[in-house]
Amino acid sequence: GAGVSQSPSNKVTEKGKDVELRCDPISGHTALYWYRQSLGQGLEFLIYFQGNSAPDKSGLPSDRFSAERTGGSVSTLTIQRTQQEDSAVYLCASSPLGGAYEQYFGPGTRLTVT
Amino acid sequence: ELKVEQNPLFLSMQEGKNYTIYCNYSTTSDRLYWYRQDPGKSLESLFVLLSNGAVKQEGRLMASLDTKARLSTLHITAAVHDLSATYFCAVDKSNTGKLIFGQGTTLQVKP
């Protein structure tokens, strides 16, 4: 079946611009996660959605970052007023129920801020 | 704050040799995951370890978990070139699925 998909695969933006990154989880998966992978910081948790519960935003690095999940499916990660330190690969993952279930990762969006 | 540390960070080995990657973590957790990442690719799940003493094997890879020692190992038996990749361990923070990753171990298997 279809895995987790993300778009765009690559995004180059100028410093100060806003960007939106999209994630389509595996159908039926109620849990959705965003992570960031960068050379300096490694793999970092950003935000977690589980069903209709309020998202866990504890990993978001600043208030320029926000995310939403519509209809319990597609999620969008928005970065406002991008900075060069935002350059990274943004990975989305989903799992059937969260918790102990394994997470299936998408291919990622490589964001470059110039 | 939960910290996850892998050792070594880089490993170059000959085909046919055995080696072990270590993953230490700083606070109590009984859920640990191993992932593989090929260059330019995303993360592929290898093992999910959910209890003390858990051992799982797939091909030439075997993972184990000792929650009392806060240690997981990934053992490679008779390495082959196809195993060349970066391996990450990750610990579930708060049993929610929020994963805290180690730094990754880049494995290079030479013919």
Side-chain angles (χ1 to χ4, degrees):
Chain A
V4 177
S5 61
Q6 292 185 244
S7 60
S9 55
N10 280 285
K11 177 72 176 178
V12 180
T13 190
E14 292 180 352
K15 177 182 172 181
K17 301 284 189 183
D18 298 351
V19 295
E20 287 188 350
L21 312 179
R22 177 186 167 107
C23 172
D24 283 87
I26 293 172
S27 178
H29 282 194
T30 62
L32 186 147
Y33 306 83
W34 283 97
Y35 296 88
R36 177 168 75 171
Q37 185 172 28
S38 60
L39 283 176
Q41 301 298 322
L43 271 156
E44 305 172 276
F45 163 80
L46 295 177
I47 187 168
Y48 159 49
F49 296 89
Q50 172 58 60
N52 296 320
S53 302
D56 181 336
K57 306 178 182 180
S58 59
L60 294 179
S62 79
D63 58 9
R64 296 186 296 105
F65 288 72
S66 63
E68 62 179 22
R69 188 178 185 192
T70 54
S73 182
V74 172
S75 177
T76 302
L77 178 69
T78 301
I79 309 173
Q80 295 179 310
R81 305 181 304 282
T82 52
Q83 303 294 312
Q84 287 187 330
E85 61 262 29
D86 300 334
S87 296
V89 176
Y90 290 82
L91 293 165
C92 174
S94 70
S95 74
L97 288 173
Y101 289 84
E102 69 183 300
Q103 296 178 26
Y104 298 84
F105 281 78
T109 293
R110 180 174 297 278
L111 175 66
T112 304
V113 181
T114 62
Chain B
E1 180 187 353
L2 174 59
K3 292 185 179 179
V4 182
E5 294 186 345
Q6 291 182 232
N7 175 26
L9 300 184
F10 182 80
L11 176 56
S12 180
M13 57 192 298
Q14 296 291 122
E15 279 191 329
K17 298 292 187 182
N18 304 333
Y19 209 83
T20 300
I21 299 170
Y22 297 89
C23 174
N24 290 89
Y25 53 98
S26 60
T27 63
T28 302
S29 176
D30 55 4
R31 300 181 181 185
L32 191 134
Y33 305 77
W34 284 96
Y35 286 88
R36 168 181 172 147
Q37 187 176 40
D38 292 291
K41 303 292 186 181
S42 191
L43 297 169
E44 173 191 353
S45 177
L46 293 176
F47 300 109
V48 179
L49 304 169
L50 297 178
S51 62
N52 186 40
V55 177
K56 291 196 174 180
Q57 183 165 5
E58 180 71 34
R60 301 174 186 275
L61 300 178
M62 183 174 70
S64 65
L65 178 61
D66 181 343
T67 59
K68 294 179 181 178
R70 299 176 186 171
L71 171 69
S72 179
T73 61
L74 180 66
H75 187 72
I76 303 154
T77 302
V80 293
H81 180 68
D82 286 352
L83 290 179
S84 297
T86 298
Y87 294 86
F88 291 92
C89 64
V91 175
D92 185 341
K93 182 178 181 180
S94 308
N95 292 338
T96 59
K98 291 161 53 176
L99 299 181
I100 306 300
F101 284 85
Q103 312 98 308
T105 297
T106 298
L107 173 65
Q108 183 182 74
V109 181
K110 297 180 178 178

Coordinates of all heavy atoms in Angstrom, one line a residue, chain A residues 9-76:
Chain A
S9 N 9.5 17.8 -2.3 CA 10.7 17.0 -1.9 C 11.9 17.9 -1.6 O 12.7 17.6 -0.8 CB 11.1 16.0 -3.0 OG 11.3 16.6 -4.2
N10 N 11.9 19.0 -2.4 CA 12.9 20.0 -2.1 C 12.3 21.4 -2.2 O 11.4 21.7 -3.0 CB 14.0 20.0 -3.2 CG 15.0 18.9 -3.0 OD1 15.9 19.0 -2.2 ND2 14.9 17.8 -3.7
K11 N 12.8 22.3 -1.3 CA 12.3 23.7 -1.3 C 13.5 24.6 -1.0 O 14.1 24.4 0.0 CB 11.2 23.8 -0.2 CG 10.7 25.2 0.0 CD 9.8 25.6 -1.2 CE 9.2 27.0 -1.0 NZ 8.3 27.4 -2.1
V12 N 13.7 25.6 -1.9 CA 14.6 26.6 -1.7 C 13.9 27.9 -1.5 O 13.0 28.2 -2.3 CB 15.6 26.7 -2.8 CG1 16.7 27.8 -2.6 CG2 16.3 25.4 -3.1
T13 N 14.2 28.6 -0.4 CA 13.5 29.8 -0.1 C 14.4 30.9 0.3 O 15.5 30.6 0.8 CB 12.4 29.6 0.9 OG1 11.5 30.8 1.0 CG2 12.9 29.3 2.3
E14 N 14.0 32.1 0.2 CA 14.9 33.2 0.7 C 14.6 33.5 2.2 O 13.4 33.3 2.6 CB 14.6 34.5 -0.1 CG 15.0 34.4 -1.5 CD 14.7 35.7 -2.3 OE1 14.0 36.6 -1.7 OE2 15.2 35.8 -3.4
K15 N 15.6 33.9 2.9 CA 15.4 34.2 4.3 C 14.3 35.2 4.5 O 14.2 36.2 3.7 CB 16.8 34.8 4.8 CG 16.8 35.3 6.2 CD 18.1 35.9 6.6 CE 18.0 36.5 7.9 NZ 19.3 37.2 8.3
G16 N 13.5 35.0 5.4 CA 12.4 35.9 5.7 C 11.0 35.5 5.1 O 10.0 36.0 5.5
K17 N 11.1 34.5 4.1 CA 9.8 34.1 3.5 C 9.2 33.0 4.4 O 9.8 32.3 5.2 CB 10.1 33.5 2.1 CG 10.8 34.5 1.2 CD 9.8 35.4 0.6 CE 10.4 36.3 -0.5 NZ 9.4 37.3 -1.0
D18 N 7.9 32.8 4.2 CA 7.2 31.7 4.8 C 7.2 30.5 3.9 O 7.1 30.6 2.7 CB 5.7 32.1 5.1 CG 5.6 33.3 6.1 OD1 6.7 33.7 6.6 OD2 4.5 33.8 6.2
V19 N 7.2 29.3 4.5 CA 7.1 28.0 3.8 C 6.1 27.1 4.4 O 5.9 27.2 5.6 CB 8.4 27.3 3.6 CG1 9.4 28.1 2.8 CG2 9.0 26.9 5.0
E20 N 5.5 26.3 3.6 CA 4.5 25.2 4.0 C 5.0 23.9 3.5 O 5.3 23.7 2.3 CB 3.1 25.5 3.5 CG 2.4 26.7 4.2 CD 1.0 26.8 3.8 OE1 0.5 26.1 2.9 OE2 0.3 27.5 4.5
L21 N 5.1 22.9 4.4 CA 5.5 21.6 4.1 C 4.3 20.7 4.3 O 3.7 20.8 5.4 CB 6.7 21.2 4.9 CG 7.9 22.2 5.0 CD1 9.0 21.6 5.8 CD2 8.4 22.5 3.6
R22 N 4.1 19.7 3.4 CA 2.9 18.9 3.5 C 3.3 17.5 3.8 O 4.3 17.0 3.3 CB 2.1 19.0 2.2 CG 0.8 18.1 2.2 CD 0.2 18.2 0.8 NE -0.8 17.1 0.6 CZ -2.1 17.4 0.6 NH1 -2.6 18.6 0.7 NH2 -3.0 16.4 0.5
C23 N 2.4 16.8 4.6 CA 2.6 15.4 4.9 C 1.3 14.6 4.7 O 0.2 15.0 5.3 CB 3.1 15.2 6.3 SG 3.1 13.5 6.8
D24 N 1.3 13.6 3.9 CA 0.1 12.7 3.8 C 0.5 11.4 4.5 O 1.3 10.6 4.0 CB -0.2 12.4 2.3 CG -0.9 13.5 1.7 OD1 -0.2 14.4 1.2 OD2 -2.2 13.5 1.7
P25 N -0.2 11.1 5.6 CA 0.2 9.8 6.3 C -0.4 8.6 5.7 O -1.2 8.7 4.8 CB -0.4 10.1 7.7 CG -1.6 10.9 7.4 CD -1.2 11.8 6.3
I26 N 0.0 7.5 6.2 CA -0.6 6.2 5.7 C -2.1 6.2 6.1 O -2.4 6.6 7.3 CB 0.1 5.0 6.3 CG1 1.5 5.0 5.7 CG2 -0.6 3.7 6.0 CD1 2.4 3.9 6.4
S27 N -3.0 5.8 5.2 CA -4.4 5.8 5.5 C -4.7 5.0 6.7 O -4.3 3.9 6.9 CB -5.1 5.3 4.3 OG -6.5 5.2 4.5
G28 N -5.5 5.6 7.6 CA -5.9 4.9 8.8 C -5.0 5.1 10.0 O -5.4 4.8 11.2
H29 N -3.8 5.7 9.8 CA -2.9 6.0 10.9 C -3.4 7.2 11.7 O -3.6 8.2 11.1 CB -1.5 6.2 10.4 CG -0.8 4.9 10.1 ND1 0.6 4.9 9.9 CD2 -1.3 3.6 9.9 CE1 0.9 3.6 9.6 NE2 -0.2 2.9 9.7
T30 N -3.6 7.0 13.0 CA -4.1 8.1 13.8 C -3.0 9.0 14.3 O -3.3 10.2 14.7 CB -5.0 7.6 14.9 OG1 -4.1 6.9 15.8 CG2 -6.1 6.8 14.4
A31 N -1.8 8.5 14.4 CA -0.7 9.3 15.0 C 0.2 9.9 13.9 O 0.5 9.1 12.9 CB 0.1 8.5 16.0
L32 N 0.6 11.1 14.0 CA 1.4 11.7 13.0 C 2.5 12.6 13.7 O 2.2 13.3 14.7 CB 0.6 12.6 12.1 CG 1.3 13.2 10.9 CD1 0.4 13.4 9.7 CD2 1.9 14.6 11.2
Y33 N 3.7 12.5 13.2 CA 4.9 13.1 13.9 C 5.6 13.9 12.8 O 5.8 13.5 11.7 CB 5.8 12.1 14.5 CG 5.2 11.1 15.4 CD1 4.5 10.0 15.0 CD2 5.2 11.3 16.8 CE1 3.9 9.0 15.8 CE2 4.6 10.4 17.7 CZ 4.0 9.3 17.2 OH 3.4 8.4 18.0
W34 N 6.2 15.0 13.3 CA 7.2 15.8 12.5 C 8.5 15.7 13.2 O 8.6 16.0 14.4 CB 6.7 17.2 12.3 CG 5.7 17.4 11.3 CD1 4.3 17.6 11.5 CD2 5.8 17.6 9.9 NE1 3.6 17.8 10.3 CE2 4.5 17.8 9.3 CE3 6.9 17.6 9.0 CZ2 4.3 18.0 7.9 CZ3 6.7 17.7 7.7 CH2 5.4 17.9 7.1
Y35 N 9.6 15.5 12.4 CA 10.9 15.6 12.9 C 11.8 16.4 12.0 O 11.4 16.6 10.8 CB 11.6 14.1 13.0 CG 10.9 13.2 14.0 CD1 9.8 12.4 13.6 CD2 11.4 13.1 15.3 CE1 9.2 11.5 14.4 CE2 10.8 12.2 16.1 CZ 9.7 11.4 15.7 OH 9.1 10.5 16.6
R36 N 12.9 16.8 12.5 CA 13.8 17.6 11.7 C 15.2 17.0 11.8 O 15.6 16.6 12.9 CB 13.9 19.1 12.2 CG 14.8 19.9 11.5 CD 14.6 21.4 11.9 NE 15.1 21.7 13.2 CZ 15.2 23.0 13.6 NH1 14.8 24.0 12.9 NH2 15.6 23.2 14.9
Q37 N 15.9 16.9 10.6 CA 17.2 16.3 10.6 C 18.2 17.3 10.0 O 18.0 17.7 8.9 CB 17.2 15.0 9.8 CG 18.6 14.3 9.8 CD 18.6 12.9 9.2 OE1 17.8 12.6 8.3 NE2 19.4 12.0 9.7
S38 N 19.1 17.7 10.8 CA 20.2 18.6 10.3 C 21.5 18.2 10.8 O 21.6 17.4 11.7 CB 19.9 20.0 10.9 OG 19.9 20.1 12.3
L39 N 22.6 18.7 10.1 CA 23.9 18.2 10.4 C 24.3 18.6 11.9 O 24.9 17.8 12.6 CB 24.9 18.8 9.4 CG 25.0 18.2 8.1 CD1 25.9 18.9 7.1 CD2 25.4 16.7 8.2
G40 N 23.9 19.8 12.3 CA 24.3 20.2 13.6 C 23.5 19.6 14.7 O 24.1 19.4 15.8
Q41 N 22.3 19.4 14.5 CA 21.4 18.9 15.6 C 20.9 17.5 15.5 O 20.2 17.0 16.4 CB 20.2 19.9 15.7 CG 20.5 21.3 15.9 CD 21.2 21.6 17.2 OE1 20.9 21.0 18.2 NE2 22.2 22.5 17.2
G42 N 21.3 16.8 14.5 CA 20.8 15.4 14.3 C 19.3 15.4 14.1 O 18.7 16.3 13.5
L43 N 18.7 14.3 14.6 CA 17.2 14.1 14.4 C 16.5 14.6 15.6 O 16.8 14.2 16.7 CB 16.9 12.6 14.2 CG 17.0 12.1 12.8 CD1 17.2 10.6 12.8 CD2 15.7 12.4 12.1
E44 N 15.6 15.6 15.4 CA 14.9 16.2 16.5 C 13.4 16.0 16.3 O 12.9 16.3 15.3 CB 15.2 17.7 16.6 CG 16.6 18.1 16.7 CD 16.6 19.6 16.5 OE1 16.6 20.1 15.4 OE2 16.7 20.3 17.6
F45 N 12.7 15.7 17.4 CA 11.2 15.7 17.4 C 10.7 17.1 17.4 O 11.3 18.0 18.1 CB 10.7 15.0 18.7 CG 9.3 15.3 19.0 CD1 8.3 14.6 18.4 CD2 9.0 16.2 20.0 CE1 7.0 14.8 18.7 CE2 7.7 16.5 20.3 CZ 6.7 15.8 19.6
L46 N 9.7 17.4 16.6 CA 9.1 18.7 16.5 C 7.7 18.7 17.2 O 7.4 19.5 18.1 CB 9.0 19.2 15.1 CG 10.3 19.4 14.4 CD1 10.1 19.8 12.9 CD2 11.2 20.4 15.1
I47 N 6.8 17.9 16.6 CA 5.4 18.0 17.0 C 4.7 16.6 16.8 O 5.1 15.9 15.9 CB 4.6 19.1 16.3 CG1 3.2 19.4 16.8 CG2 4.6 18.9 14.8 CD1 2.6 20.6 16.3
Y48 N 3.6 16.4 17.5 CA 3.0 15.1 17.5 C 1.5 15.3 17.6 O 1.0 16.0 18.4 CB 3.5 14.3 18.7 CG 2.6 13.1 19.2 CD1 2.1 12.1 18.3 CD2 2.4 13.0 20.6 CE1 1.4 11.1 18.8 CE2 1.6 11.9 21.0 CZ 1.1 10.9 20.2 OH 0.4 9.9 20.6
F49 N 0.7 14.6 16.6 CA -0.7 14.6 16.6 C -1.2 13.2 16.9 O -0.7 12.3 16.3 CB -1.2 15.1 15.2 CG -0.9 16.5 14.8 CD1 0.3 16.7 14.1 CD2 -1.8 17.5 15.1 CE1 0.6 18.0 13.8 CE2 -1.5 18.8 14.7 CZ -0.3 19.1 14.0
Q50 N -2.2 13.1 17.8 CA -2.8 11.8 18.0 C -4.3 12.0 18.0 O -4.9 12.6 18.9 CB -2.4 11.3 19.4 CG -3.1 10.0 19.8 CD -3.0 8.9 18.8 OE1 -1.9 8.4 18.5 NE2 -4.1 8.4 18.3
G51 N -4.9 11.4 17.0 CA -6.4 11.5 16.8 C -6.9 12.9 16.9 O -6.3 13.8 16.3
N52 N -7.9 13.1 17.7 CA -8.5 14.5 17.9 C -7.9 15.2 19.1 O -8.4 16.3 19.4 CB -10.0 14.3 18.0 CG -10.6 13.8 16.8 OD1 -10.2 14.1 15.7 ND2 -11.6 12.9 16.9
S53 N -6.9 14.7 19.7 CA -6.3 15.3 20.9 C -5.5 16.5 20.5 O -5.1 16.7 19.3 CB -5.4 14.3 21.7 OG -6.1 13.2 22.1
A54 N -5.4 17.4 21.5 CA -4.5 18.6 21.2 C -3.1 18.1 20.9 O -2.6 17.2 21.5 CB -4.5 19.5 22.4
P55 N -2.5 18.7 19.9 CA -1.1 18.3 19.5 C -0.1 18.6 20.6 O -0.2 19.5 21.4 CB -0.8 19.1 18.2 CG -1.7 20.3 18.3 CD -2.9 19.8 19.0
D56 N 0.9 17.8 20.6 CA 2.1 18.0 21.5 C 3.1 18.8 20.8 O 3.8 18.3 19.9 CB 2.6 16.6 22.0 CG 3.8 16.8 22.9 OD1 4.5 17.8 22.9 OD2 4.1 15.8 23.7
K57 N 3.2 20.1 21.1 CA 4.1 21.0 20.4 C 5.4 21.2 21.1 O 6.2 22.1 20.8 CB 3.4 22.3 20.2 CG 2.0 22.3 19.6 CD 1.4 23.7 19.6 CE 0.0 23.7 19.0 NZ -0.6 25.0 18.9
S58 N 5.8 20.3 22.0 CA 6.9 20.6 22.9 C 8.2 20.6 22.2 O 9.2 21.2 22.7 CB 7.0 19.5 24.0 OG 7.1 18.2 23.4
G59 N 8.3 20.1 21.0 CA 9.6 20.1 20.3 C 9.8 21.3 19.3 O 10.9 21.4 18.7
L60 N 8.8 22.1 19.1 CA 8.9 23.2 18.2 C 10.0 24.2 18.7 O 9.9 24.6 19.8 CB 7.6 23.9 18.0 CG 6.5 23.1 17.3 CD1 5.2 23.9 17.2 CD2 6.9 22.6 15.9
P61 N 10.9 24.6 17.8 CA 12.1 25.4 18.3 C 11.7 26.8 18.5 O 12.5 27.5 19.3 CB 13.1 25.2 17.2 CG 12.3 24.9 15.9 CD 11.1 24.1 16.4
S62 N 10.7 27.3 17.9 CA 10.3 28.7 18.1 C 8.9 28.9 17.7 O 8.3 28.1 17.1 CB 11.3 29.7 17.3 OG 10.9 29.7 16.0
D63 N 8.4 30.1 18.0 CA 7.0 30.4 17.6 C 6.8 30.7 16.1 O 5.7 31.0 15.7 CB 6.4 31.6 18.5 CG 7.2 32.8 18.4 OD1 8.1 32.9 17.5 OD2 6.9 33.8 19.1
R64 N 7.9 30.6 15.4 CA 7.8 30.8 13.9 C 7.3 29.5 13.3 O 6.9 29.4 12.2 CB 9.2 31.1 13.3 CG 9.7 32.5 13.8 CD 11.0 32.9 13.0 NE 12.1 32.0 13.3 CZ 12.5 31.0 12.5 NH1 11.9 30.8 11.3 NH2 13.5 30.3 12.9
F65 N 7.4 28.4 14.1 CA 7.0 27.1 13.6 C 5.5 26.8 14.1 O 5.2 27.0 15.3 CB 7.9 26.0 14.2 CG 9.3 26.0 13.5 CD1 10.2 27.0 13.8 CD2 9.6 25.0 12.7 CE1 11.4 27.0 13.2 CE2 10.9 24.9 12.1 CZ 11.8 25.9 12.4
S66 N 4.7 26.3 13.2 CA 3.4 25.8 13.6 C 3.0 24.7 12.7 O 3.6 24.5 11.6 CB 2.4 26.9 13.5 OG 2.3 27.4 12.2
A67 N 2.0 23.9 13.2 CA 1.6 22.8 12.3 C 0.1 22.6 12.6 O -0.4 22.8 13.7 CB 2.4 21.5 12.6
E68 N -0.6 22.0 11.6 CA -2.0 21.6 11.8 C -2.2 20.3 11.1 O -1.5 20.0 10.2 CB -2.9 22.7 11.3 CG -2.8 23.1 9.8 CD -3.8 24.1 9.4 OE1 -4.3 24.9 10.3 OE2 -4.1 24.2 8.2
R69 N -3.3 19.7 11.5 CA -3.7 18.4 10.9 C -5.2 18.5 10.6 O -6.0 18.6 11.6 CB -3.3 17.3 11.7 CG -3.5 15.9 11.0 CD -3.2 14.8 11.9 NE -3.2 13.5 11.2 CZ -3.2 12.3 11.7 NH1 -3.0 12.2 13.0 NH2 -3.3 11.2 11.0
T70 N -5.5 18.5 9.4 CA -6.9 18.6 9.0 C -7.6 17.3 8.8 O -7.1 16.4 8.1 CB -7.0 19.5 7.7 OG1 -6.2 18.8 6.7 CG2 -6.6 20.9 7.9
G71 N -8.8 17.2 9.4 CA -9.6 16.0 9.2 C -8.9 14.7 9.7 O -9.2 13.6 9.2
G72 N -7.9 14.8 10.6 CA -7.2 13.7 11.1 C -6.4 13.0 10.1 O -5.9 11.9 10.3
S73 N -6.0 13.7 9.0 CA -5.2 13.1 7.9 C -4.0 13.9 7.6 O -3.0 14.0 8.3 CB -6.1 12.8 6.7 OG -5.3 12.1 5.7
V74 N -4.2 14.7 6.5 CA -3.0 15.5 6.0 C -2.6 16.6 7.1 O -3.4 17.1 7.8 CB -3.5 16.3 4.7 CG1 -2.4 17.3 4.3 CG2 -3.8 15.3 3.7
S75 N -1.3 16.7 7.1 CA -0.7 17.7 8.0 C 0.2 18.7 7.3 O 0.8 18.3 6.3 CB 0.1 17.0 9.1 OG 0.8 18.0 10.0
T76 N 0.2 19.9 7.7 CA 1.0 21.0 7.1 C 1.9 21.6 8.2 O 1.4 22.0 9.3 CB 0.1 22.1 6.5 OG1 -0.7 21.5 5.5 CG2 1.0 23.1 5.9

